[in-house]
Short mmCIF file of all heavy atoms in Angstrom, two decimals:
data_model
loop_
_atom_site.label_atom_id
_atom_site.label_comp_id
_atom_site.label_asym_id
_atom_site.label_seq_id
_atom_site.Cartn_x
_atom_site.Cartn_y
_atom_site.Cartn_z
N ASP K 1 0.80 -1.20 0.00
CA ASP K 1 -0.02 -0.01 -0.04
C ASP K 1 0.89 1.26 0.00
O ASP K 1 0.54 2.24 -0.66
CB ASP K 1 -0.91 0.03 1.21
CG ASP K 1 -2.12 -0.90 1.07
OD1 ASP K 1 -2.23 -1.55 0.01
OD2 ASP K 1 -2.93 -1.02 2.01
N ALA K 2 1.95 1.23 0.78
CA ALA K 2 2.79 2.40 0.92
C ALA K 2 3.88 2.46 -0.14
O ALA K 2 4.59 3.47 -0.29
CB ALA K 2 3.44 2.44 2.30
N ILE K 3 3.98 1.39 -0.94
CA ILE K 3 5.00 1.25 -2.00
C ILE K 3 6.38 1.48 -1.43
O ILE K 3 7.12 2.43 -1.85
CB ILE K 3 4.70 2.19 -3.20
CG1 ILE K 3 3.21 2.22 -3.52
CG2 ILE K 3 5.51 1.79 -4.45
CD1 ILE K 3 2.84 3.25 -4.60
N VAL K 4 6.76 0.67 -0.48
CA VAL K 4 8.08 0.71 0.11
C VAL K 4 8.72 -0.68 0.07
O VAL K 4 8.04 -1.71 -0.03
CB VAL K 4 8.04 1.20 1.59
CG1 VAL K 4 7.62 2.67 1.66
CG2 VAL K 4 7.05 0.34 2.42
N SER K 5 10.06 -0.71 0.18
CA SER K 5 10.81 -1.92 0.26
C SER K 5 11.29 -2.11 1.66
O SER K 5 11.94 -1.24 2.26
CB SER K 5 12.00 -1.86 -0.69
OG SER K 5 12.86 -2.98 -0.47
N LEU K 6 10.97 -3.31 2.27
CA LEU K 6 11.35 -3.56 3.65
C LEU K 6 12.78 -4.14 3.75
O LEU K 6 13.03 -5.22 4.38
CB LEU K 6 10.35 -4.49 4.28
CG LEU K 6 8.88 -4.05 4.21
CD1 LEU K 6 8.00 -4.96 5.05
CD2 LEU K 6 8.72 -2.59 4.66
N THR K 7 13.72 -3.45 3.09
CA THR K 7 15.11 -3.90 3.03
C THR K 7 16.01 -2.72 3.36
O THR K 7 15.54 -1.54 3.34
CB THR K 7 15.46 -4.41 1.64
OG1 THR K 7 15.34 -3.34 0.70
CG2 THR K 7 14.50 -5.59 1.21
N PRO K 8 17.27 -2.96 3.65
CA PRO K 8 18.20 -1.85 3.90
C PRO K 8 18.25 -0.83 2.75
O PRO K 8 18.43 0.39 2.99
CB PRO K 8 19.51 -2.54 4.11
CG PRO K 8 19.17 -3.89 4.63
CD PRO K 8 17.89 -4.27 3.92
N GLU K 9 18.01 -1.26 1.53
CA GLU K 9 18.00 -0.36 0.41
C GLU K 9 16.87 0.65 0.46
O GLU K 9 16.95 1.76 -0.10
CB GLU K 9 17.92 -1.11 -0.93
CG GLU K 9 19.18 -1.94 -1.26
CD GLU K 9 19.29 -3.20 -0.36
OE1 GLU K 9 18.27 -3.70 0.12
OE2 GLU K 9 20.48 -3.66 -0.18
N GLY K 10 15.76 0.29 1.17
CA GLY K 10 14.63 1.15 1.27
C GLY K 10 14.64 2.03 2.54
O GLY K 10 13.64 2.72 2.86
N PHE K 11 15.78 2.07 3.20
CA PHE K 11 15.89 2.73 4.53
C PHE K 11 15.36 4.15 4.54
O PHE K 11 14.54 4.52 5.33
CB PHE K 11 17.40 2.68 4.91
CG PHE K 11 17.75 3.14 6.28
CD1 PHE K 11 17.64 2.29 7.34
CD2 PHE K 11 18.11 4.48 6.50
CE1 PHE K 11 17.95 2.73 8.64
CE2 PHE K 11 18.42 4.90 7.78
CZ PHE K 11 18.35 4.03 8.84
N SER K 12 15.86 5.00 3.59
CA SER K 12 15.48 6.41 3.63
C SER K 12 14.04 6.60 3.32
O SER K 12 13.33 7.43 3.96
CB SER K 12 16.35 7.19 2.59
OG SER K 12 17.69 7.15 2.99
N GLU K 13 13.48 5.88 2.32
CA GLU K 13 12.08 6.04 1.97
C GLU K 13 11.18 5.52 3.11
O GLU K 13 10.09 6.09 3.35
CB GLU K 13 11.78 5.24 0.70
CG GLU K 13 10.40 5.53 0.16
CD GLU K 13 10.14 4.92 -1.18
OE1 GLU K 13 10.74 3.85 -1.47
OE2 GLU K 13 9.31 5.44 -1.95
N LEU K 14 11.61 4.49 3.84
CA LEU K 14 10.90 4.03 4.96
C LEU K 14 10.71 5.06 6.05
O LEU K 14 9.66 5.23 6.64
CB LEU K 14 11.51 2.74 5.57
CG LEU K 14 11.40 1.48 4.72
CD1 LEU K 14 12.39 0.39 5.21
CD2 LEU K 14 9.94 0.93 4.83
N ILE K 15 11.78 5.83 6.31
CA ILE K 15 11.75 6.87 7.28
C ILE K 15 10.81 7.97 6.83
O ILE K 15 9.91 8.42 7.60
CB ILE K 15 13.18 7.52 7.50
CG1 ILE K 15 14.11 6.46 8.12
CG2 ILE K 15 13.08 8.73 8.38
CD1 ILE K 15 15.59 6.92 8.22
N ASP K 16 10.95 8.42 5.58
CA ASP K 16 10.11 9.47 5.07
C ASP K 16 8.66 9.14 5.14
O ASP K 16 7.80 9.89 5.66
CB ASP K 16 10.50 9.85 3.63
CG ASP K 16 11.92 10.47 3.55
OD1 ASP K 16 12.38 10.91 4.58
OD2 ASP K 16 12.49 10.46 2.48
N LYS K 17 8.30 8.00 4.56
CA LYS K 17 6.88 7.62 4.49
C LYS K 17 6.34 7.20 5.87
O LYS K 17 5.21 7.44 6.16
CB LYS K 17 6.67 6.49 3.45
CG LYS K 17 6.84 6.96 2.06
CD LYS K 17 6.49 5.91 1.00
CE LYS K 17 6.51 6.46 -0.37
NZ LYS K 17 6.17 5.47 -1.40
N GLY K 18 7.21 6.61 6.66
CA GLY K 18 6.79 6.22 8.04
C GLY K 18 6.35 7.45 8.82
O GLY K 18 5.33 7.44 9.55
N MET K 19 7.14 8.53 8.75
CA MET K 19 6.85 9.79 9.48
C MET K 19 5.62 10.48 8.88
O MET K 19 4.82 11.05 9.59
CB MET K 19 8.04 10.67 9.49
CG MET K 19 9.21 10.13 10.31
SD MET K 19 8.76 9.69 12.00
CE MET K 19 8.41 11.32 12.69
N ILE K 20 5.47 10.44 7.57
CA ILE K 20 4.24 11.05 6.93
C ILE K 20 3.00 10.35 7.42
O ILE K 20 1.99 11.02 7.77
CB ILE K 20 4.41 10.95 5.42
CG1 ILE K 20 5.45 11.97 4.90
CG2 ILE K 20 3.05 11.26 4.77
CD1 ILE K 20 5.84 11.78 3.45
N ILE K 21 3.05 9.02 7.42
CA ILE K 21 1.89 8.26 7.87
C ILE K 21 1.57 8.47 9.35
O ILE K 21 0.45 8.73 9.75
CB ILE K 21 2.12 6.76 7.60
CG1 ILE K 21 2.11 6.45 6.10
CG2 ILE K 21 1.03 5.90 8.31
CD1 ILE K 21 2.61 5.11 5.71
N LYS K 22 2.63 8.48 10.15
CA LYS K 22 2.49 8.78 11.58
C LYS K 22 1.78 10.08 11.82
O LYS K 22 0.83 10.16 12.58
CB LYS K 22 3.85 8.66 12.28
CG LYS K 22 3.81 8.98 13.78
CD LYS K 22 5.18 8.89 14.41
CE LYS K 22 5.20 9.35 15.83
NZ LYS K 22 6.55 9.24 16.45
N ARG K 23 2.28 11.13 11.16
CA ARG K 23 1.69 12.42 11.41
C ARG K 23 0.26 12.51 10.94
O ARG K 23 -0.65 13.11 11.56
CB ARG K 23 2.51 13.49 10.73
CG ARG K 23 3.94 13.62 11.35
CD ARG K 23 4.73 14.75 10.65
NE ARG K 23 6.11 14.75 11.17
CZ ARG K 23 7.18 14.45 10.47
NH1 ARG K 23 7.07 14.13 9.21
NH2 ARG K 23 8.40 14.50 11.03
N ALA K 24 -0.06 11.86 9.79
CA ALA K 24 -1.44 11.84 9.23
C ALA K 24 -2.41 11.12 10.18
O ALA K 24 -3.52 11.57 10.45
CB ALA K 24 -1.42 11.21 7.86
N ILE K 25 -1.93 10.00 10.77
CA ILE K 25 -2.78 9.23 11.66
C ILE K 25 -3.00 10.01 12.93
O ILE K 25 -4.07 9.96 13.58
CB ILE K 25 -2.22 7.82 11.89
CG1 ILE K 25 -2.18 7.02 10.59
CG2 ILE K 25 -2.96 7.08 12.98
CD1 ILE K 25 -3.49 6.76 9.97
N MET K 26 -1.94 10.69 13.45
CA MET K 26 -2.06 11.49 14.67
C MET K 26 -3.09 12.56 14.52
O MET K 26 -3.80 12.91 15.46
CB MET K 26 -0.69 12.05 15.01
CG MET K 26 0.31 11.07 15.57
SD MET K 26 2.00 11.76 15.76
CE MET K 26 1.76 13.05 16.90
N GLU K 27 -3.20 13.15 13.32
CA GLU K 27 -4.19 14.20 13.09
C GLU K 27 -5.58 13.60 13.03
O GLU K 27 -6.58 14.29 13.47
CB GLU K 27 -3.90 14.92 11.77
CG GLU K 27 -2.69 15.83 11.80
CD GLU K 27 -2.46 16.53 10.50
OE1 GLU K 27 -3.36 16.44 9.63
OE2 GLU K 27 -1.44 17.24 10.38
N LYS K 28 -5.70 12.37 12.61
CA LYS K 28 -7.05 11.79 12.45
C LYS K 28 -7.55 11.14 13.73
O LYS K 28 -8.78 11.11 13.99
CB LYS K 28 -6.97 10.76 11.33
CG LYS K 28 -8.34 10.10 11.00
CD LYS K 28 -8.26 9.15 9.81
CE LYS K 28 -9.64 8.53 9.50
NZ LYS K 28 -9.62 7.57 8.39
N HIS K 29 -6.68 10.54 14.52
CA HIS K 29 -7.05 9.76 15.70
C HIS K 29 -6.55 10.37 16.98
O HIS K 29 -5.33 10.68 17.06
CB HIS K 29 -6.64 8.33 15.58
CG HIS K 29 -7.29 7.54 14.45
ND1 HIS K 29 -8.53 7.01 14.61
CD2 HIS K 29 -6.90 7.31 13.21
CE1 HIS K 29 -8.85 6.39 13.46
NE2 HIS K 29 -7.87 6.58 12.62
N GLU K 30 -7.36 10.46 18.01
CA GLU K 30 -6.92 10.83 19.37
C GLU K 30 -6.89 9.50 20.17
O GLU K 30 -7.91 8.88 20.38
CB GLU K 30 -7.87 11.81 20.02
CG GLU K 30 -7.40 12.23 21.40
CD GLU K 30 -8.34 13.28 22.04
OE1 GLU K 30 -9.26 13.70 21.38
OE2 GLU K 30 -8.09 13.63 23.20
N LEU K 31 -5.68 9.15 20.60
CA LEU K 31 -5.51 7.86 21.30
C LEU K 31 -5.69 8.11 22.81
O LEU K 31 -5.22 9.09 23.36
CB LEU K 31 -4.10 7.29 21.03
CG LEU K 31 -3.87 7.00 19.53
CD1 LEU K 31 -2.41 6.58 19.34
CD2 LEU K 31 -4.83 5.93 19.04
N LYS K 32 -6.35 7.14 23.45
CA LYS K 32 -6.67 7.26 24.85
C LYS K 32 -6.41 5.91 25.53
O LYS K 32 -7.13 4.94 25.37
CB LYS K 32 -8.18 7.66 25.08
CG LYS K 32 -8.59 7.81 26.49
CD LYS K 32 -7.93 9.06 27.17
CE LYS K 32 -8.49 9.26 28.56
NZ LYS K 32 -7.79 10.38 29.25
N HIS K 33 -5.30 5.90 26.30
CA HIS K 33 -4.99 4.67 27.04
C HIS K 33 -6.02 4.50 28.18
O HIS K 33 -6.47 5.49 28.77
CB HIS K 33 -3.57 4.76 27.65
CG HIS K 33 -3.12 3.54 28.26
ND1 HIS K 33 -3.29 3.27 29.63
CD2 HIS K 33 -2.42 2.48 27.79
CE1 HIS K 33 -2.77 2.09 29.88
NE2 HIS K 33 -2.22 1.58 28.80
N PRO K 34 -6.41 3.30 28.53
CA PRO K 34 -7.45 3.04 29.55
C PRO K 34 -7.06 3.67 30.93
O PRO K 34 -8.01 4.00 31.71
CB PRO K 34 -7.57 1.54 29.62
CG PRO K 34 -7.05 1.06 28.29
CD PRO K 34 -6.00 2.01 27.88
N PHE K 35 -5.80 3.73 31.24
CA PHE K 35 -5.44 4.09 32.63
C PHE K 35 -4.40 5.22 32.76
O PHE K 35 -4.33 5.88 33.76
CB PHE K 35 -4.95 2.86 33.39
CG PHE K 35 -5.94 1.73 33.40
CD1 PHE K 35 -5.71 0.60 32.60
CD2 PHE K 35 -7.08 1.80 34.15
CE1 PHE K 35 -6.66 -0.44 32.57
CE2 PHE K 35 -8.02 0.75 34.17
CZ PHE K 35 -7.79 -0.38 33.37
N GLU K 36 -3.49 5.37 31.75
CA GLU K 36 -2.41 6.31 31.87
C GLU K 36 -2.44 7.35 30.72
O GLU K 36 -2.18 7.01 29.60
CB GLU K 36 -1.05 5.56 31.85
CG GLU K 36 -0.84 4.65 33.08
CD GLU K 36 -0.64 5.40 34.38
OE1 GLU K 36 -0.52 6.66 34.29
OE2 GLU K 36 -0.56 4.76 35.42
#
């Protein structure tokens, strides 16, 4: 789905897309731990 390679050769793209996805999901979802 993300069009990435899970190998050392894909290292830089994994970082870039991983952070883009993380930030997009953080904007969409508010996470609430049950106790902390």
Side-chain angles (χ1 to χ4, degrees):
D1 284 358
I3 318 175
V4 291
S5 171
L6 305 187
T7 64
E9 291 73 26
F11 188 85
S12 296
E13 188 174 30
L14 286 165
I15 295 172
D16 292 341
K17 289 188 174 180
M19 293 304 294
I20 288 170
I21 292 168
K22 177 180 173 179
R23 294 184 186 113
I25 296 299
M26 286 170 63
E27 288 183 7
K28 184 176 179 181
H29 294 277
E30 182 179 356
L31 300 174
K32 181 69 175 174
H33 188 270
F35 303 107
E36 294 290 353

